[in-house]
Amino acid sequence: MKIVIAEGKTKADFLIGSLLKKKHSLMVINEDRAFCDYLAQTHKIPILHGDSSKIYTLADAKIENYDILIALSAYDSDNLAICQAAKRLFHIKKTVAVVSNPKNVDVFKTLGVNTAISATYLLTQIIEQASTVDILLHTISIEHNKLVLTELLMDKHCPYQYRQLQEIPLPDRALICCVLRGNDMLPPQNELLLLPNDKLIFLSSPSAQDTIIATMTGRKTK
Amino acid sequence: MFGTKNKSILIAGCGRLGGSIAGSLSEQGYKVTVIDPDKEAFRKLPPAFSGFQIIGDATDLDTLVKAGIKDTDILMATADRDNVNLMIAQIGNVIYEVKQVYIRLYDMEKQQLVEGLHIYPIFPAKLSIQEFERLSTIDIKEELL
């Protein structure tokens, strides 16, 4: 894929290294002259020195030929301007921004940035999930947070052990994808008898996740 | 005129421009709130200023809500940085549905980022050129700008 990396230092450096390993074609725009020099010595990629939030800089970089733009500036407002310019004026389909203020994750989405990432936001989600439920083994957001995969352990408190899989009441927009038993992957057939220490993998909307966890722990939903 | 005086105005950035407008509108009886991250910036307000002063980052939703953006009639974004102003203006117009939003932009090209919204840009560069034309009576071709 053709990717533009705008601004950033340590994050940009790491990302450039790992994207090049995966054979993506990159273009780097950075305001910091010394960082541009360093990158030019380390990698053979096009580098443009300039302020990425200036429209003429983006025009000079010919970013309209790229698929994705990633904005890594430390200032949220700069990242917003960069992504909006890339999208509206240069028709880049996908823009990704890192934000320092976790509240800006939703603001950016409302204002047209495809994906906004905040380390604090992710950390909070992980801590909340880890601290509320012991049986929650893994959870992964997919399809831009529209769906989540949830892996739950059937512990001794689960009301559905020694019951059939079809007895688990599922909320709307939720299904059981698979049951893991030891090293076996069992298809989610209705008659499957569930045993202690089985691991169930659910696919659902994020809002249904709480209901599923509540059902499996035998608690009431909050 | 009584109706207009009850209007509430939120000014983000208490520099020379934001501070002067805030001071003047407050003296005229408008309900004015000024936000600036630097407490010292409020010294630019005149002694007669009777509005609210909020210390904080005006791109932060909580600061804006605390400053009353939900009931604001007019929002002015007069921070130093264009990108900060663009962000504040869009949060105000798109998220909190403020009907009248004014924004100071040094870079005229960036107007394209808020086209189609109820955000009205003010360009110091353009105003200076117009003033130069008036004072010098030399005509600057607009299309060259």
Side-chain angles (χ1 to χ4, degrees), chain A residues 85-190:
Chain A
K87 191 141 217 181
R88 289 192 206 161
L89 310 175
F90 298 95
H91 312 292
I92 291 211
K93 285 194 199 73
K94 214 165 172 189
T95 54
V96 180
V98 164
V99 294
S100 327
N101 183 342
K103 283 171 256 174
N104 285 338
V105 169
D106 296 320
V107 172
F108 273 42
K109 282 182 194 163
T110 311
L111 298 180
V113 178
N114 298 88
T115 312
I117 303 160
S118 148
T120 324
Y121 192 86
L122 293 177
L123 195 63
T124 321
Q125 281 187 324
I126 291 169
I127 292 169
E128 277 176 4
Q129 285 160 354
S131 58
T132 48
V133 204
D134 301 334
I135 63 161
L136 181 69
L137 302 175
H138 286 106
T139 175
I140 308 163
S141 292
I142 54 175
E143 293 291 311
H144 302 293
N145 299 332
K146 284 193 209 102
L147 290 173
V148 283
L149 276 171
T150 314
E151 182 185 358
L152 296 180
L153 173 72
M154 181 160 277
D155 70 355
K156 58 180 190 288
H157 303 296
C158 177
Y160 298 100
Q161 48 184 346
Y162 305 112
R163 303 280 193 92
Q164 286 184 336
L165 184 134
Q166 60 186 344
E167 291 178 57
I168 299 177
L170 286 174
D172 283 347
R173 294 184 51 71
L175 53 92
I176 299 172
C177 304
C178 182
V179 176
L180 304 174
R181 179 173 297 159
N183 293 323
D184 293 334
M185 280 194 310
L186 310 173
Q189 281 155 349
N190 283 341

Side-chain angles (χ1 to χ4, degrees), chain A residues 6-152:
Chain A
E7 304 307 330
K9 282 276 181 62
T10 328
K11 287 188 194 101
D13 193 21
F14 182 82
L15 195 61
I16 290 162
S18 78
L19 290 174
L20 284 176
K21 261 185 216 152
K22 290 172 189 158
K23 309 283 175 211
H24 292 290
S25 134
L26 302 186
M27 148 71 87
V28 174
I29 311 173
N30 205 289
E31 215 175 353
D32 188 313
R33 166 72 75 186
F35 187 63
C36 287
D37 291 345
Y38 156 79
L39 286 177
Q41 286 165 7
T42 333
H43 307 291
K44 284 200 175 72
I45 46 170
I47 297 162
L48 186 78
H49 171 241
D51 176 354
S52 315
S53 77
K54 292 277 183 197
I55 290 157
Y56 57 78
T57 309
L58 297 177
D60 286 351
K62 297 199 168 48
I63 64 159
E64 63 272 23
N65 300 320
Y66 285 77
D67 305 305
I68 302 181
L69 176 138
I70 303 171
L72 299 171
S73 160
Y75 296 101
D76 290 4
S77 52
D78 287 358
N79 286 337
L80 180 67
I82 296 166
C83 288
Q84 289 186 324
K87 191 141 217 181
R88 289 192 206 161
L89 310 175
F90 298 95
H91 312 292
I92 291 211
K93 285 194 199 73
K94 214 165 172 189
T95 54
V96 180
V98 164
V99 294
S100 327
N101 183 342
K103 283 171 256 174
N104 285 338
V105 169
D106 296 320
V107 172
F108 273 42
K109 282 182 194 163
T110 311
L111 298 180
V113 178
N114 298 88
T115 312
I117 303 160
S118 148
T120 324
Y121 192 86
L122 293 177
L123 195 63
T124 321
Q125 281 187 324
I126 291 169
I127 292 169
E128 277 176 4
Q129 285 160 354
S131 58
T132 48
V133 204
D134 301 334
I135 63 161
L136 181 69
L137 302 175
H138 286 106
T139 175
I140 308 163
S141 292
I142 54 175
E143 293 291 311
H144 302 293
N145 299 332
K146 284 193 209 102
L147 290 173
V148 283
L149 276 171
T150 314
E151 182 185 358
L152 296 180

Side-chain angles (χ1 to χ4, degrees), chain B residues 4-45:
Chain B
T4 59
K5 293 286 165 82
N6 289 325
K7 279 196 171 172
S8 58
I9 295 165
L10 180 57
I11 298 177
C14 191
R16 288 287 161 212
L17 176 64
S20 306
I21 294 181
S24 164
L25 292 180
S26 168
E27 279 170 24
Q28 287 180 50
Y30 289 89
K31 186 177 165 288
V32 182
T33 305
V34 192
I35 308 174
D36 201 288
D38 180 13
K39 192 179 160 199
E40 295 293 309
F42 297 120
R43 288 169 64 177
K44 297 185 195 84
L45 295 168

Side-chain angles (χ1 to χ4, degrees), chain A residues 51-60 81-82 84-86 88-90, chain B residues 82-83 86 90 103-115 121-126 143-145:
Chain A
D51 176 354
S52 315
S53 77
K54 292 277 183 197
I55 290 157
Y56 57 78
T57 309
L58 297 177
D60 286 351
I82 296 166
Q84 289 186 324
R88 289 192 206 161
L89 310 175
F90 298 95
Chain B
D82 278 356
N83 294 341
L86 286 164
Q90 290 182 79
I103 171 173
R104 184 215 354 234
L105 284 181
Y106 291 114
D107 181 352
M108 288 195 243
E109 283 194 318
K110 285 187 179 161
Q111 181 186 12
Q112 298 171 78
L113 298 183
V114 290
E115 261 167 16
I122 296 164
F123 302 113
K126 201 171 179 177
E143 63 267 24
L144 294 179
L145 298 176

